[in-house]
Amino acid sequence: MQGGIDNIKHVYLIGIGGIGMSALARYFKASGRDVCGYDKTPTLLTSELISEGIAVHYHDGVEMLPAFLTGPEINSEVLIIYTPAIPKDHAELVYLETKGYRMYKRSEVLGLITGSSRTIAVAGTHGKTTTSAMIAHILKDSGTDCTAFLGGISSNYNTNLLLGSGNPDKEWVVVEADEYDRSFLTLFPQISLITSLDADHLDIYGNHTDMIASYSQFAGQTRAGGRLIIKTGLKLTCDTGAAWTYSISGDADFTATDITIKNHKYHFSIREREGIQNDLVLSWPGRHNVENAVAAYAATRAAGVSIPAIKKALSCFKGVKRRFDYQVNSEKITYIDDYAHHPEELKATIQSVRELYPGEKIVGIFQPHLYSRTRDFVDGFGKSLSLLDELILLDIYPAREKPMPGVSSAIILDKVTIPNKIISSKDKVIDKVLSSEARVILTLGAGDIDQLVKPLKDALTLKYKVQTA
């Protein structure tokens, strides 16, 4: 990019409504640039962007492009960012590429932004959004200068972008290191954290071995004098001898111990390099989130935050929307919405619900995400969803993919071993839930299942005459 980011006056984002893309849009808007973009459909997030002064359109057409992109010459003051999920034949994308514009992926732009900053990058096939949000909250709550690009909406700040001073000598920049399309290889962090290496995105990598090789390359890009932090037991192919390890149990440099539940809150200690740190409290539920808290503890210790400040911040961490997100929480009925879309995520969420609500009947509504993921992990989905008492399965959300022969929600249903299981259309889900005797309701998935959340919440509130969460 000639002149670098400082030279940019206009930013155009193709796929602006994505959670990561919208954070970039907000970042450049806050820095005084003219920001606009395209997305396929209106959402709450695109509506929020519009209310913040960012123009968004939903029709793919060259005639919709802003004037600063349609002149006879390439505009050197323009930055164009696109998401790899955009089809290759997208009319605007084709026009701009043909005209000669350099197109930047979101990850490349994050690499440009963080190039001269002290960066904390969190990678992993699951856990990275929660862990990133925890790290950013600890830094902010402790008064540490921090900018953060989050892959979810922080419930503490009601946004996916936190802004710091912009001084690279003082602030930390927290980012999610996305493995999709090997995007995280554009980052060279001061602190690198890897939460998990379960197989995923095999449509990109081909096999689990190649995926691990890319994670190993990312780990090796930690800056000299920095710190690599990994969950214990991860089998990277690079030298991890100097890395800090963490775990919810077992032998690691940072380990959670003495975990108890009181009033749906987790109380625990951390055994670390300097001894036992007692009296940690996590108000946001889920045993897997205790492990994420241990990871965030290690990362912020590496960043120089004091132990009392970390404890205080964790005790008031409110979570991330669509991650163990209470919608209704009463003695009569509980409804939790969660983004879980990988078998290991589903397992962690359902097991945590079991631990919090022992003996209660649990019904889960799950929407598979991607044909390729359904095909690759059908056995894992069957095993994890069998932890429920009742399953309502929706059709696959295709996202960027076209249908694959023989791949449908039915192949998951066949693997689920519980007797109470059905495939349902979205328009019949609420009636099925209301007729269930389940005490705990879960919506699970990464597609457009979030459109069910408010109507289901309203229906449950009306039926049980309870307050919402």
Side-chain angles (χ1 to χ4, degrees):
M1 183 188 306
Q2 190 172 4
I5 285 180
D6 293 341
N7 185 54
I8 295 301
K9 294 183 179 179
H10 307 280
V11 180
Y12 188 72
L13 299 98
I14 305 176
I16 194 170
I19 192 69
M21 293 282 280
S22 60
L24 284 177
R26 285 170 161 159
Y27 172 82
F28 284 112
K29 181 67 176 178
S31 67
R33 272 73 167 208
D34 172 32
V35 180
C36 55
Y38 158 88
D39 209 87
K40 186 177 181 179
T41 55
T43 62
L44 176 61
L45 193 45
T46 57
S47 296
E48 290 175 352
L49 294 178
I50 291 170
S51 71
E52 294 164 18
I54 297 171
V56 181
H57 66 269
Y58 308 102
H59 171 65
D60 173 25
V62 175
E63 71 278 7
M64 303 297 295
L65 291 170
F68 60 76
L69 285 173
T70 57
E73 304 294 333
I74 291 179
N75 189 337
S76 62
E77 297 177 332
V78 168
L79 172 62
I80 302 172
I81 312 171
Y82 76 102
T83 171
I86 291 291
K88 300 296 184 184
D89 60 353
H90 189 272
E92 294 181 9
L93 189 70
V94 171
Y95 170 83
L96 293 169
E97 287 179 330
T98 302
K99 195 168 181 178
Y101 274 104
R102 168 75 159 87
M103 318 293 283
Y104 287 84
K105 295 179 184 178
R106 166 185 167 271
S107 57
E108 292 177 297
V109 177
L110 283 178
L112 292 171
I113 292 171
T114 62
S116 59
S117 300
R118 296 185 301 168
T119 302
I120 302 175
V122 183
T125 47
H126 48 84
K128 56 181 174 289
T129 295
T130 299
T131 306
S132 298
M134 283 181 176
I135 291 169
H137 172 64
I138 293 168
L139 294 173
K140 282 290 185 184
D141 193 72
S142 68
T144 306
D145 194 7
C146 165
T147 288
F149 298 87
L150 303 176
I153 304 297
S154 164
S155 295
N156 285 87
Y157 307 98
N158 200 34
T159 184
N160 54 350
L161 172 71
L162 306 181
L163 290 171
S165 67
N167 184 337
D169 296 326
K170 294 184 177 180
E171 77 168 353
W172 286 95
V173 179
V174 181
V175 300
E176 285 191 33
D178 187 4
E179 75 278 3
Y180 176 71
D181 204 26
R182 297 177 174 83
S183 294
F184 55 3
L185 299 182
T186 62
L187 301 171
F188 294 83
Q190 186 79 16
I191 299 172
S192 303
L193 193 157
I194 301 177
T195 64
S196 51
L197 284 178
D198 297 297
D200 201 1
H201 297 301
L202 299 187
D203 56 322
I204 298 296
Y205 289 98
N207 57 64
H208 195 192
T209 300
D210 286 348
M211 191 200 82
I212 292 173
S214 287
Y215 270 93
S216 298
Q217 184 177 342
F218 165 76
Q221 292 179 182
T222 306
R223 295 179 195 173
R227 174 63 61 188
L228 172 63
I229 303 169
I230 58 175
K231 180 178 174 178
T232 190
L234 297 186
K235 304 298 184 182
L236 296 169
T237 57
C238 61
D239 180 11
T240 59
W244 284 354
T245 57
Y246 75 92
S247 177
I248 196 171
S249 62
D251 185 25
D253 295 312
F254 297 82
T255 306
T257 64
D258 305 319
I259 303 170
T260 59
I261 301 174
K262 301 175 184 177
N263 297 322
H264 295 174
K265 295 181 180 180
Y266 282 83
H267 297 250
F268 59 102
S269 300
I270 291 181
R271 184 179 68 245
E272 62 146 304
R273 302 164 70 85
E274 297 182 11
I276 296 287
Q277 308 301 334
N278 297 312
D279 304 319
L280 284 93
V281 179
L282 188 64
S283 299
W284 199 39
R287 181 170 287 265
H288 57 297
N289 288 322
V290 174
E291 186 164 67
N292 292 332
V294 177
Y297 180 100
T300 49
R301 291 287 287 129
V305 182
S306 71
I307 293 171
I310 297 173
K311 289 183 177 182
K312 174 180 174 292
L314 284 175
S315 70
C316 62
F317 178 68
K318 297 179 181 179
V320 180
K321 293 182 180 179
R322 295 223 66 225
R323 270 73 172 181
F324 219 100
D325 192 2
Y326 277 102
Q327 300 297 316
V328 182
N329 190 12
S330 75
E331 292 298 321
K332 296 179 180 178
I333 193 75
T334 298
Y335 169 31
I336 299 167
D337 178 46
D338 197 280
Y339 189 75
H341 58 284
H342 184 281
E344 290 300 317
E345 293 171 332
L346 291 167
K347 177 182 176 182
T349 298
I350 297 168
Q351 286 182 334
S352 292
V353 173
R354 283 266 178 234
E355 186 174 38
L356 289 167
Y357 301 95
E360 299 288 358
K361 181 179 179 182
I362 303 170
V363 59
I365 304 102
F366 176 58
Q367 181 187 50
H369 185 262
L370 297 177
Y371 292 101
S372 59
R373 184 179 282 124
T374 301
R375 175 200 62 200
D376 293 339
F377 305 118
V378 61
D379 290 335
F381 283 125
K383 187 175 182 180
S384 295
L385 293 170
S386 296
L387 297 171
L388 297 165
D389 295 302
E390 185 177 341
L391 170 65
I392 300 173
L393 193 59
L394 302 180
D395 289 333
I396 296 170
Y397 182 79
R400 59 187 177 269
E401 293 184 341
K402 295 181 179 180
M404 294 181 176
V407 180
S408 70
S409 293
I411 67 173
I412 293 178
L413 197 74
D414 288 344
K415 298 288 185 177
V416 174
T417 58
I418 57 175
N420 295 324
K421 57 179 182 177
I422 59 169
I423 294 176
S424 172
S425 59
K426 281 191 289 185
D427 61 340
K428 295 181 179 178
V429 164
I430 292 177
D431 288 340
K432 293 183 184 301
V433 170
L434 294 179
S435 65
S436 171
E437 297 178 354
R439 162 74 174 81
V440 182
I441 315 297
L442 307 178
T443 43
L444 305 159
D448 63 0
I449 193 173
D450 60 329
Q451 296 176 5
L452 277 175
V453 173
K454 187 179 186 304
L456 180 55
K457 177 179 179 178
D458 292 343
L460 291 170
T461 301
L462 180 64
K463 177 180 178 179
Y464 292 96
K465 296 179 174 57
V466 295
Q467 297 289 326
T468 57

